[in-house]
Amino acid sequence: EAGVTQFPSHSVIEKGQTVTLRCDPISGHDNLYWYRRVMGKEIKFLLHFVKESKQDESGMPNNRFLAERTGGTYSTLKVQPAELEDSGVYFCASSPPERANYGYTFGSGTRLTVV
Amino acid sequence: AQKITQTQPGMFVQEKEAVTLDCTYDTSDPSYGLFWYKQPSSGEMIFLIYQGSYDQQNATEGRYSLNFQKARKSANLVISASQLGDSAMYFCAMREVGVYGANSKLTFGKGITLSVRP
């Protein structure tokens, strides 16, 4: 079974530019989550999709962040325009429809650096 | 108030010895789950162990066990017979069922760095 795939693995962009991160969850996993870890701080929740619907987007920091999951498969997270404080590692995770007692499967993350 | 607290500074352990990584949590939700993840230097997040709030016994997964003390709201990870490959950052996380149900988000602690010495 393929794991959760994220790309790019690294991205360096200038302040004011746009970046789009992509996440491919495990096939059949209805639940897809985005998290972010800013250097030295906790991993923070951004939002949760169930299939193509946003179940919980309480962690989205502001309207510069736009997440989509068309067709309930892969998801994209767009940051436009990027600011310096957006730098960090963005993780995607997925879990099956039933209770995820055995853990949410995470991708390897995208390290975003805004300069 | 922080929901997940991991206050230990960097931890060191001798190879083949056991080590305990501390985690305390705060919730008013009677139904919750506690998770531990390992993040090696390569960056991926690896699920280690899960404990449900209603589970009567402490969870175990190979060399990992979770010392769950519900009244004290602690969920410490015990790694037995440490190996060099255990050197990594370890995160404690909690899922509260709450409004969004069984697949709600995880809330993470700040993590603890573990170094295993040969």
Side-chain angles (χ1 to χ4, degrees):
Chain A
E1 173 182 78
V4 177
T5 305
Q6 291 186 248
F7 40 91
S9 57
H10 294 83
S11 180
V12 180
I13 62 171
E14 292 184 351
K15 177 182 172 181
Q17 289 186 324
T18 297
V19 63
T20 300
L21 314 181
R22 174 168 167 150
C23 170
D24 286 68
I26 292 174
S27 178
H29 280 196
D30 288 352
N31 297 285
L32 186 150
Y33 310 80
W34 284 98
Y35 292 85
R36 174 173 76 170
R37 187 177 187 215
V38 172
M39 181 67 73
K41 298 196 174 180
E42 297 96 332
I43 300 169
K44 293 283 194 184
F45 166 78
L46 295 177
L47 89 158
H48 169 203
F49 283 100
V50 178
K51 296 185 181 178
E52 67 275 7
S53 299
K54 293 176 183 174
Q55 174 86 341
D56 179 2
E57 50 185 329
S58 61
M60 294 290 266
N62 52 61
N63 60 9
R64 296 185 294 103
F65 289 75
L66 175 64
E68 295 181 324
R69 192 182 182 194
T70 307
T73 55
Y74 71 90
S75 174
T76 57
L77 179 65
K78 180 189 287 188
V79 185
Q80 179 182 28
E83 298 289 344
L84 299 178
E85 63 264 25
D86 300 332
S87 296
V89 181
Y90 289 76
F91 289 101
C92 175
S94 71
S95 69
E98 63 273 18
R99 183 190 290 266
N101 285 354
Y102 297 98
Y104 302 68
T105 304
F106 279 76
S108 296
T110 294
R111 182 174 295 278
L112 174 65
T113 303
V114 183
V115 297
Chain B
Q2 286 193 354
K3 287 186 176 267
I4 297 288
T5 302
Q6 296 180 264
T7 58
Q8 290 167 304
M11 293 285 289
F12 294 86
V13 65
Q14 204 67 32
E15 193 178 8
K16 299 182 185 177
E17 292 185 349
V19 63
T20 298
L21 306 182
D22 295 343
C23 173
T24 59
Y25 61 92
D26 184 28
T27 182
S28 57
D29 192 331
S31 182
Y32 55 90
L34 297 156
F35 300 77
W36 277 91
Y37 281 85
K38 170 185 177 182
Q39 186 182 41
S41 57
S42 52
E44 72 267 35
M45 294 282 284
I46 302 167
F47 167 71
L48 296 178
I49 197 166
Y50 166 82
Q51 179 85 43
S53 59
Y54 296 117
D55 293 344
Q56 295 297 311
Q57 295 190 334
N58 288 342
T60 60
E61 289 287 347
R63 295 186 299 110
Y64 305 106
S65 60
L66 200 152
N67 184 2
F68 181 46
Q69 298 190 36
K70 195 170 183 177
R72 296 178 61 183
K73 293 188 174 178
S74 73
N76 299 338
L77 177 71
V78 181
I79 304 174
S80 64
S82 297
Q83 301 172 356
L84 295 179
D86 293 335
S87 294
M89 178 157 275
Y90 289 79
F91 291 94
C92 179
M94 176 173 64
R95 176 189 65 214
E96 299 164 288
V97 172
V99 175
Y100 295 106
N103 286 297
S104 297
K105 65 187 180 189
L106 295 177
T107 300
F108 286 86
K110 291 185 176 180
I112 301 168
T113 300
L114 175 67
S115 300
V116 181
R117 292 170 167 153

